[in-house]
Amino acid sequence: MGEHMQNLQRIRAIAAHYRSLQGLRMLPWFLWILLFGAVNPALGLPQGRLDYQLLLIVPGLVVPWAVSRWIGAYYDRAFGQIEGLPPRNRALEALAGVTFVVVAFLGFLADSLQRWPVSLFGLVMAVAMFVQWWRSGRFLTHYPVTAALLAAISMLPLFGIPASGHWYTLLGGFAFPIMLGLVLSLGSVLGHILLVRSLKLLSQVKP
């Protein structure tokens, strides 16, 4: 009986968070963030020179969008489609989403002022992922991993990394976007692994 209830809870969790578990869908976007941050330092261009970054902003957006769509089609073929559970309170969900965007943007602006020895934007992202993990019934186990990595990276300046005490002075200000892209890419791969493992466990359940 206990195993049966556990399987039901796993099915409910997958149905409720099926989209979030399709980590490879977002991988092209996270790699785009990584490339966006790395292109100027790789070419030796200072912060503020957007010559090559503009190529990534406008026409470059088509590539991750197209790849993400193709990966979405792969998920539909390989795992099928699941109609997600509707949110219990749509208004509250919408308010939470808008609040996150506003707070994250304010954190980004605060980081750009270079007055804090931590990345407030990174910490906001970490807290949001931890909250999402908690709200999922602790099912999305890749979220706390990603949140812990983001929090640790965001607070590294407190320990003298980089030596200036600010991320915006390292690699022309692009060090943090590079690491953000790496961490989020790792999180998306872990989400895909969690989905595959969960579905494999359910496929082994005897009726």
Short mmCIF file of all heavy atoms in Angstrom, two decimals, residues 14 18-19 22 25 71-83 195 199:
data_model
loop_
_atom_site.label_atom_id
_atom_site.label_comp_id
_atom_site.label_asym_id
_atom_site.label_seq_id
_atom_site.Cartn_x
_atom_site.Cartn_y
_atom_site.Cartn_z
N ILE A 14 4.79 14.34 -11.54
CA ILE A 14 5.20 14.43 -12.95
C ILE A 14 4.16 15.20 -13.75
O ILE A 14 4.50 16.05 -14.59
CB ILE A 14 5.41 13.02 -13.54
CG1 ILE A 14 6.63 12.36 -12.89
CG2 ILE A 14 5.60 13.09 -15.05
CD1 ILE A 14 6.84 10.93 -13.33
N TYR A 18 5.47 18.49 -15.37
CA TYR A 18 6.01 17.84 -16.58
C TYR A 18 6.81 18.82 -17.42
O TYR A 18 7.88 18.49 -17.93
CB TYR A 18 4.86 17.26 -17.39
CG TYR A 18 5.29 16.45 -18.58
CD1 TYR A 18 6.17 15.38 -18.45
CD2 TYR A 18 4.80 16.74 -19.86
CE1 TYR A 18 6.56 14.63 -19.54
CE2 TYR A 18 5.19 15.99 -20.96
CZ TYR A 18 6.07 14.94 -20.80
OH TYR A 18 6.46 14.20 -21.89
N ARG A 19 6.30 20.02 -17.55
CA ARG A 19 7.00 21.03 -18.36
C ARG A 19 8.33 21.41 -17.72
O ARG A 19 9.35 21.55 -18.41
CB ARG A 19 6.11 22.26 -18.51
CG ARG A 19 6.68 23.33 -19.45
CD ARG A 19 6.38 23.00 -20.88
NE ARG A 19 6.84 24.04 -21.78
CZ ARG A 19 6.57 24.07 -23.07
NH1 ARG A 19 5.85 23.10 -23.61
NH2 ARG A 19 7.02 25.05 -23.84
N GLN A 22 11.14 18.96 -18.35
CA GLN A 22 11.70 18.88 -19.70
C GLN A 22 12.87 19.86 -19.83
O GLN A 22 12.83 20.84 -20.57
CB GLN A 22 10.61 19.17 -20.73
CG GLN A 22 9.48 18.15 -20.71
CD GLN A 22 8.39 18.46 -21.70
OE1 GLN A 22 8.58 19.26 -22.63
NE2 GLN A 22 7.23 17.85 -21.55
N ARG A 25 14.51 21.44 -23.03
CA ARG A 25 13.82 22.51 -23.77
C ARG A 25 14.51 23.86 -23.54
O ARG A 25 14.63 24.68 -24.45
CB ARG A 25 12.37 22.63 -23.29
CG ARG A 25 11.38 21.67 -23.92
CD ARG A 25 10.00 21.96 -23.38
NE ARG A 25 8.99 21.05 -23.84
CZ ARG A 25 8.20 21.26 -24.90
NH1 ARG A 25 8.35 22.37 -25.61
NH2 ARG A 25 7.29 20.38 -25.24
N ILE A 71 13.46 20.34 -29.72
CA ILE A 71 13.58 19.49 -28.54
C ILE A 71 12.20 19.21 -27.94
O ILE A 71 11.93 18.10 -27.46
CB ILE A 71 14.51 20.15 -27.50
CG1 ILE A 71 15.94 20.20 -28.04
CG2 ILE A 71 14.48 19.39 -26.18
CD1 ILE A 71 16.92 20.94 -27.15
N GLY A 72 11.32 20.22 -27.96
CA GLY A 72 9.96 20.01 -27.48
C GLY A 72 9.24 18.93 -28.27
O GLY A 72 8.51 18.10 -27.70
N ALA A 73 9.46 18.92 -29.59
CA ALA A 73 8.87 17.87 -30.42
C ALA A 73 9.44 16.50 -30.06
O ALA A 73 8.72 15.48 -30.08
CB ALA A 73 9.11 18.17 -31.90
N TYR A 74 10.72 16.46 -29.71
CA TYR A 74 11.35 15.21 -29.27
C TYR A 74 10.67 14.70 -27.99
O TYR A 74 10.37 13.50 -27.88
CB TYR A 74 12.84 15.42 -29.03
CG TYR A 74 13.42 14.47 -28.01
CD1 TYR A 74 13.66 13.14 -28.32
CD2 TYR A 74 13.71 14.91 -26.71
CE1 TYR A 74 14.18 12.26 -27.38
CE2 TYR A 74 14.23 14.04 -25.76
CZ TYR A 74 14.46 12.73 -26.10
OH TYR A 74 14.97 11.86 -25.16
N TYR A 75 10.41 15.59 -27.04
CA TYR A 75 9.74 15.17 -25.81
C TYR A 75 8.35 14.61 -26.11
O TYR A 75 7.93 13.61 -25.51
CB TYR A 75 9.63 16.34 -24.84
CG TYR A 75 10.86 16.55 -23.98
CD1 TYR A 75 11.68 17.66 -24.16
CD2 TYR A 75 11.19 15.64 -22.99
CE1 TYR A 75 12.81 17.85 -23.37
CE2 TYR A 75 12.32 15.82 -22.20
CZ TYR A 75 13.12 16.93 -22.40
OH TYR A 75 14.23 17.10 -21.61
N ASP A 76 7.63 15.26 -27.02
CA ASP A 76 6.29 14.78 -27.36
C ASP A 76 6.35 13.39 -27.98
O ASP A 76 5.49 12.54 -27.70
CB ASP A 76 5.61 15.75 -28.34
CG ASP A 76 5.29 17.08 -27.68
OD1 ASP A 76 5.25 17.14 -26.43
OD2 ASP A 76 5.09 18.07 -28.42
N ARG A 77 7.36 13.13 -28.82
CA ARG A 77 7.49 11.81 -29.46
C ARG A 77 7.94 10.76 -28.46
O ARG A 77 7.43 9.64 -28.45
CB ARG A 77 8.48 11.88 -30.62
CG ARG A 77 8.03 12.69 -31.81
CD ARG A 77 8.92 12.42 -33.01
NE ARG A 77 10.34 12.61 -32.67
CZ ARG A 77 11.00 13.75 -32.81
NH1 ARG A 77 10.35 14.83 -33.25
NH2 ARG A 77 12.27 13.85 -32.50
N ALA A 78 8.92 11.11 -27.63
CA ALA A 78 9.54 10.13 -26.75
C ALA A 78 8.72 9.83 -25.51
O ALA A 78 8.66 8.68 -25.06
CB ALA A 78 10.94 10.60 -26.36
N PHE A 79 8.07 10.86 -24.96
CA PHE A 79 7.39 10.68 -23.67
C PHE A 79 5.88 10.98 -23.74
O PHE A 79 5.18 10.74 -22.76
CB PHE A 79 8.02 11.58 -22.61
CG PHE A 79 9.50 11.38 -22.47
CD1 PHE A 79 10.40 12.34 -22.93
CD2 PHE A 79 10.01 10.23 -21.89
CE1 PHE A 79 11.77 12.16 -22.81
CE2 PHE A 79 11.38 10.04 -21.76
CZ PHE A 79 12.26 11.00 -22.22
N GLY A 80 5.42 11.49 -24.86
CA GLY A 80 4.02 11.82 -24.98
C GLY A 80 3.70 13.17 -24.36
O GLY A 80 4.58 13.87 -23.87
N GLN A 81 2.43 13.53 -24.40
CA GLN A 81 1.97 14.79 -23.85
C GLN A 81 1.14 14.55 -22.60
O GLN A 81 0.37 13.59 -22.54
CB GLN A 81 1.15 15.56 -24.88
CG GLN A 81 1.94 15.96 -26.11
CD GLN A 81 1.10 16.73 -27.11
OE1 GLN A 81 -0.12 16.74 -27.03
NE2 GLN A 81 1.76 17.38 -28.05
N ILE A 82 1.32 15.40 -21.62
CA ILE A 82 0.58 15.31 -20.37
C ILE A 82 -0.11 16.64 -20.13
O ILE A 82 0.53 17.70 -20.21
CB ILE A 82 1.50 14.98 -19.18
CG1 ILE A 82 2.12 13.60 -19.36
CG2 ILE A 82 0.72 15.04 -17.87
CD1 ILE A 82 3.07 13.21 -18.24
N GLU A 83 -1.38 16.58 -19.87
CA GLU A 83 -2.11 17.81 -19.54
C GLU A 83 -1.83 18.14 -18.09
O GLU A 83 -2.25 17.42 -17.17
CB GLU A 83 -3.61 17.63 -19.75
CG GLU A 83 -4.41 18.91 -19.54
CD GLU A 83 -5.88 18.73 -19.86
OE1 GLU A 83 -6.23 17.66 -20.42
OE2 GLU A 83 -6.66 19.65 -19.56
N LEU A 195 13.38 13.38 -14.99
CA LEU A 195 12.20 12.95 -15.73
C LEU A 195 12.37 11.53 -16.25
O LEU A 195 11.48 10.68 -16.09
CB LEU A 195 11.94 13.91 -16.90
CG LEU A 195 10.82 13.50 -17.87
CD1 LEU A 195 9.48 13.47 -17.16
CD2 LEU A 195 10.78 14.44 -19.07
N LEU A 199 10.07 8.31 -14.98
CA LEU A 199 9.24 7.55 -15.90
C LEU A 199 9.68 6.10 -15.99
O LEU A 199 8.86 5.19 -16.15
CB LEU A 199 9.26 8.21 -17.28
CG LEU A 199 8.59 9.58 -17.37
CD1 LEU A 199 8.73 10.15 -18.77
CD2 LEU A 199 7.11 9.49 -16.99
#
